[in-house]
Amino acid sequence: MAVAIEEYKKLMDYCGQHQVTLVAVSKTKPMEDIQALYDLGHRDFGENYVQELVEKEEKLPKDIRWHFIGHLQSNKVKYIAPFIHLIHGVDSFKLLKEVHKQGTKNEREIDCLLQIFIATEESKFGLDEAELQEMIADPALGSLTQARVRGLMGMASFSDNKEKVATEFQGLKKLYDQLKSTTFSSDGFDTLSMGMSGDYEMAINAGSSMIRIGSMLFGARNQ
Ligand SMILES: *Cc1c(COP(=O)(O)O)cnc(C)c1O
């Protein structure tokens, strides 16, 4: 399928009205598809495999803001550290420390979101409540100056039950507001990444500031 240009324009209008950032999730899709949206002025793209991201980053325009939205292994942070715009899926203290280390090496602050487990499915990654509490209680958190926690990310259950999905998003928004007024009150905690092709309207209604949209723009994926 070619890139859905009309859908893209409608979605950008919708995001503009709600002051939401659209991350176009281009994972598994060819460079030409990314270039097509780039030519319309789009700059935020999301990928979930390190190797694929690194290959695309090398070949595509340098002013693209790359978002890493997948599960990131600590030993792979170094490959994306020089250029990554935002890492959405930080789900352990170990990973955050590694981001800080690589940020230091690359002499840049790397923006991150903490991924919070909000679904009822076993397969989804993220910190649960206890892990989050443990992390924010750790005095070492404040020393990780090169890994800037900018907000939270979450994925709702894959479900037709709209009430359930809405409740999960609302719960994440509440947690985000709490952290923003307590632990991360000092600076730059301003991003709540939630919502995908199937549930972005509900996510925005619940207070999302960033949606991650793949199939609606680029068509279904085989994997
Ligand atoms: C693939 C993916 C998306 C995009 O999903 P669509 O349903 O195709 O819009 C969003 N977020 C994450 C974390 C993903 O892995």
Side-chain angles (χ1 to χ4, degrees):
M1 178 190 118
V3 179
I5 302 291
E6 285 312 311
E7 289 294 320
Y8 168 71
K9 289 182 177 165
K10 275 191 229 158
L11 200 51
M12 281 303 279
D13 280 347
Y14 190 76
C15 286
Q17 284 159 21
H18 293 86
Q19 290 173 307
V20 166
T21 302
L22 171 64
V23 177
V25 176
S26 47
K27 61 191 188 192
T28 79
K29 298 296 175 182
M31 315 244 192
E32 302 85 75
D33 287 5
I34 298 174
Q35 188 70 50
L37 281 194
Y38 180 90
D39 291 342
L40 293 175
H42 203 75
R43 293 295 179 270
D44 290 279
F45 291 91
E47 293 282 338
N48 70 338
Y49 285 106
V50 168
Q51 195 185 335
E52 184 179 347
L53 171 54
V54 168
E55 282 169 21
K56 286 174 170 172
E57 193 276 336
E58 272 173 19
K59 299 204 175 82
L60 285 159
K62 293 298 165 201
D63 60 343
I64 288 180
R65 295 186 288 267
W66 291 105
H67 296 246
F68 193 80
I69 62 166
H71 181 65
L72 183 58
Q73 289 169 285
S74 296
N75 61 359
K76 296 206 169 152
V77 176
K78 58 179 176 284
Y79 301 114
I80 63 172
F83 65 83
I84 197 71
H85 176 67
L86 181 62
I87 299 174
H88 289 232
V90 173
D91 60 359
S92 72
F93 205 45
K94 178 176 173 228
L95 180 56
L96 194 68
K97 281 185 192 151
E98 180 62 19
V99 172
H100 168 72
K101 184 175 155 194
Q102 296 302 330
T104 306
K105 269 194 189 163
N106 287 275
E107 297 181 341
R108 61 188 298 253
E109 289 179 359
I110 300 176
D111 285 348
C112 303
L113 304 177
L114 301 180
Q115 183 171 357
I116 309 295
F117 181 83
I118 56 171
T120 47
E121 290 144 21
E122 279 299 316
S123 62
K124 302 221 159 122
F125 292 104
L127 297 154
D128 64 25
E129 188 75 33
E131 290 166 331
L132 176 70
Q133 292 308 333
E134 192 182 322
M135 191 162 161
I136 62 182
D138 196 317
L141 185 65
S143 67
L144 304 181
T145 52
Q146 305 309 112
R148 278 181 75 195
V149 178
R150 298 295 302 266
L152 304 181
M153 180 272 218
M155 290 168 86
S157 296
F158 187 73
S159 166
D160 290 332
N161 184 341
K162 296 205 161 163
E163 228 164 276
K164 178 183 166 74
V165 172
T167 303
E168 290 171 359
F169 284 144
Q170 287 155 9
L172 187 59
K173 172 66 160 72
K174 196 171 155 202
L175 182 61
Y176 169 80
D177 287 340
Q178 275 168 6
L179 292 176
K180 191 176 166 67
S181 64
T182 56
T183 315
F184 297 103
S185 59
S186 51
D187 70 318
F189 193 82
D190 58 7
T191 306
L192 180 56
S193 168
M194 58 182 194
M196 309 175 27
S197 292
D199 57 20
Y200 71 91
E201 286 171 299
M202 270 187 285
I204 290 175
N205 284 338
S208 170
S209 72
M210 186 175 274
I211 58 174
R212 309 174 310 270
I213 304 289
S215 48
M216 194 179 154
L217 297 172
F218 297 112
R221 292 175 297 271
N222 300 324
Q223 54 184 93

